[in-house]
Amino acid sequence: MNRQVADAPGARTRRDHAAHHPGHPTPPRLHAPVEHAALRVLVVEEEERAARTLVQNLARRGYRAESVATGTQALQVHHQVDLILLDLDLTDLDGLEVCRGIRAVSDTPIIAVTERGSELDRVLGLQAGADDYMVKPYGFHELLARIGAVMRRVRPSRTSRVIEHGPLRIDPVARKVTLHDRPVDLTRKEFDLLRILALQPGAVVSRRQLMSQVWDDAWSHKGRTIDTHVSSLRGKLGSSDWIVTVRGVGFRLGNP
């Protein structure tokens, strides 16, 4: 994958040729603007050298980039970033399943990366939840352009998206909740918990997913932490039917 962040094949030869032959015009240099320099980017790549190179190049452009080497790690930390570069050719988990797992609980944009470039592979990647799809090897400037294009598409909707579920209204930007137009005073964890359930109305969200999304911990068991917050939410919303317990699985948003 280190070819991904290098110049296109032959580019160095052309520059060297131009330098030694002044009569030949020098190819124009590309300067891709960084439109979202504060973005936190997660690189999911198991080849250490390739991951390090990509992270370094993104950091030079002002991004806050970090990497993980496995799909399992990606599922644990994806909620901490703004954009994910997901290599689908992982060995510990199927890359498409990792993509589906992230999309099931999060709207974080994903750019899928793979060596498989057939039309069917692209369709499968996009159907799994990827926002864009890149085939190796690719140019770094193309990657920057695609990051910018993806963020232009998702940022307006993500920042202004108000979730409405019957009389319940959740504003993720202002972090305010109203019920029947009356404000509901929630703690930070209660708000995050309610928002995650409301993003998937009718769907069951597992306890592990909630621990990962709200408490940054998908694996440890913190006693009745979730149950306590769910109970508090039910009390503040005025009905236990707002959050339905699915025994042995997790919780879903109800319709009182």
Side-chain angles (χ1 to χ4, degrees), residues 10 49 74 101 116 121 125 137 145 150 166 222 232 248 251 254:
R49 180 180 176 185
R116 303 188 295 268
D121 289 319
V150 166
K222 297 187 175 180
S232 178
F251 303 90

Side-chain angles (χ1 to χ4, degrees), residues 80-98:
Q80 300 174 6
V81 301
D82 301 305
L83 181 135
I84 303 165
L85 301 179
L86 173 62
D87 193 324
L88 298 182
D89 306 316
L90 301 170
T91 56
D92 73 316
L93 294 175
D94 179 82
L96 292 175
E97 287 303 316
V98 175

Side-chain angles (χ1 to χ4, degrees), residues 49-117:
R49 180 180 176 185
R52 182 172 61 251
T53 300
L54 186 52
V55 167
Q56 289 174 347
N57 284 342
L58 288 169
R60 290 191 187 102
R61 289 292 180 141
Y63 293 98
R64 295 163 56 191
E66 57 185 286
S67 68
V68 295
T70 68
T72 301
Q73 291 173 308
L75 290 172
Q76 294 174 9
V77 302
H78 68 85
H79 57 282
Q80 300 174 6
V81 301
D82 301 305
L83 181 135
I84 303 165
L85 301 179
L86 173 62
D87 193 324
L88 298 182
D89 306 316
L90 301 170
T91 56
D92 73 316
L93 294 175
D94 179 82
L96 292 175
E97 287 303 316
V98 175
C99 191
R100 293 188 189 99
I102 294 173
R103 185 56 70 238
V105 297
S106 171
D107 60 355
T108 303
I110 302 170
I111 298 179
V113 180
T114 180
E115 294 180 350
R116 303 188 295 268

Side-chain angles (χ1 to χ4, degrees), residues 17-18 20-26:
H17 182 76
H20 290 89
H21 298 80
H24 294 272
T26 301

